[in-house]
Amino acid sequence: MMILMKREATEEQIQAVCEAIHEHGLESLVLPGGQRVAVGIPSAIPPELRPVLDQHLSAMDGVDQVIHITRPYKLASRDFHPHDTVVRVGRVEIGGGRFAVMAGPCAVESYEQTLEAARAVKAAGAQVLRAGAYKPRTSPYSFQGLQREGLEILRTVAQEVDILTVSEVVDPRDVETAAEYIDILQIGARNMQNFPLLVEVGKSRKPVLLKRSPSATIDEWLAAAEYLLTNGNEQVMLCERGIAPLDRAYVRNTLDINAVPVIKYHSHLPIIVDPSHGIGHARYVPAVALAATAAGADGLLIEVHPHPDRALSDGVQSLNPEAFTQLMAQISAIRAALAPLNAK
Ligand code: PEP
Ligand code: MN
């Protein structure tokens, strides 16, 4: 529920509305706007209380309108948080005009492979190294990742190369440990609605990259983000990684480029685009990476392997370091070309 105040509402009237909300045992959040103030109720409102509250608040001085929010998220919404969230990871900022590239292999395979990848992506300008230690694969017979050993390799390599890291966590019991080894916790597409995992990652307060499930609507995705936010984690980034495709003969997923402007309009959370899983073939990755950059994504997550033909997972969609270096130059050119035109 959101209480829209009149333009001429006084401080005292706004305060009185907040107190009335508290009298009903609920929290209030004052949302200053350009023209007028709104007061939001971020907590869940018991259904029987809604009409009572509506009647009480509508009749108060200075109140223009009581709006019922029917979307399954509040804290993730721009209505409740008009300004862009900027996620801070070490010295890197993401969101609100700050752009970051996260790149690296699908999986940590060995110390040598991770080191080679980290050096290559850093040299090309990536700020964050991506690599999975826990690999939830479609088949239990596929490579499942080096798990704890993978996390140790990531930490060692990150210190050696001086780069930040993002890696997936799949089990709520691993969150605390993983948070000690890596800088950004990734929640994979298959786990977008793993609620115990969302709660645990929410409590950890570590920056998090929440991937969209290939079958999730925007509402379901933002509602999943809401679990992170309501559990105290404000450092949330969303990641579009492709939705179920119409034509699997040609592409692995369909990158939903629409999600970029739609999320930017409805939410304040940064949106990162993963063109690698989004289309699934290295030859197409640069084109969609550039499209996402031009569309206004806050960053990219790109699979890069020092030797894609030898990769233990997702080699087909992984760029080699040369292709990634060339793509980084194109990304910079797109950003530089648009910057003066985007300036407010
Ligand atoms: C990954 O990033 O390697 C991954 C497994 O992605 P997704 O969860 O989007 O399939
Ligand atoms: Mn992958």
Side-chain angles (χ1 to χ4, degrees), residues 202-223:
K203 286 197 231 150
S204 86
R205 314 279 162 105
K206 197 93 183 165
V208 44
L209 186 68
L210 175 64
K211 287 196 144 194
R212 178 186 187 179
S213 153
S215 58
T217 62
I218 298 273
D219 271 354
E220 287 164 340
W221 187 17
L222 288 174

Side-chain angles (χ1 to χ4, degrees), residues 57-115:
L57 299 173
S58 301
M60 291 184 73
D61 290 339
V63 171
D64 186 15
Q65 214 185 335
V66 174
I67 301 166
H68 292 264
I69 294 173
T70 49
R71 296 202 187 281
Y73 55 89
K74 295 182 185 185
L75 300 180
S77 159
R78 263 208 203 271
D79 295 336
F80 274 72
H81 191 297
H83 303 294
D84 287 346
T85 282
V86 178
V87 171
R88 293 186 174 79
V89 196
R91 57 187 179 274
V92 173
E93 293 185 327
I94 307 168
R98 262 61 59 101
F99 184 89
V101 176
M102 312 178 189
C106 182
V108 178
E109 297 169 7
S110 67
Y111 165 75
E112 291 76 16
Q113 168 254 13
T114 308
L115 182 66

Side-chain angles (χ1 to χ4, degrees), residues 8-88:
E8 65 276 12
T10 62
E11 272 304 315
E12 290 70 34
Q13 289 169 338
I14 297 166
Q15 204 43 49
V17 165
C18 292
E19 277 159 23
I21 293 170
H22 304 162
E23 274 168 31
H24 289 283
L26 300 166
E27 285 169 47
S28 66
L29 191 65
V30 177
L31 306 156
Q35 308 274 348
R36 46 165 124 187
V37 166
V39 181
I41 305 180
S43 40
I45 307 172
E48 64 281 7
L49 189 56
R50 278 182 214 147
V52 180
L53 205 56
D54 189 331
Q55 208 175 18
H56 180 178
L57 299 173
S58 301
M60 291 184 73
D61 290 339
V63 171
D64 186 15
Q65 214 185 335
V66 174
I67 301 166
H68 292 264
I69 294 173
T70 49
R71 296 202 187 281
Y73 55 89
K74 295 182 185 185
L75 300 180
S77 159
R78 263 208 203 271
D79 295 336
F80 274 72
H81 191 297
H83 303 294
D84 287 346
T85 282
V86 178
V87 171
R88 293 186 174 79

Side-chain angles (χ1 to χ4, degrees), residues 106 130 135 277 303 314 317:
C106 182
R130 65 139 293 145
K135 296 305 303 176
H277 294 85
E303 287 190 336
D314 286 350
Q317 67 192 33

Side-chain angles (χ1 to χ4, degrees), residues 24 56 62 93 105 161 177 186 199 213 237 308:
H24 289 283
H56 180 178
E93 293 185 327
V161 176
T177 309
Q186 177 173 320
V199 170
S213 153
M237 295 172 272

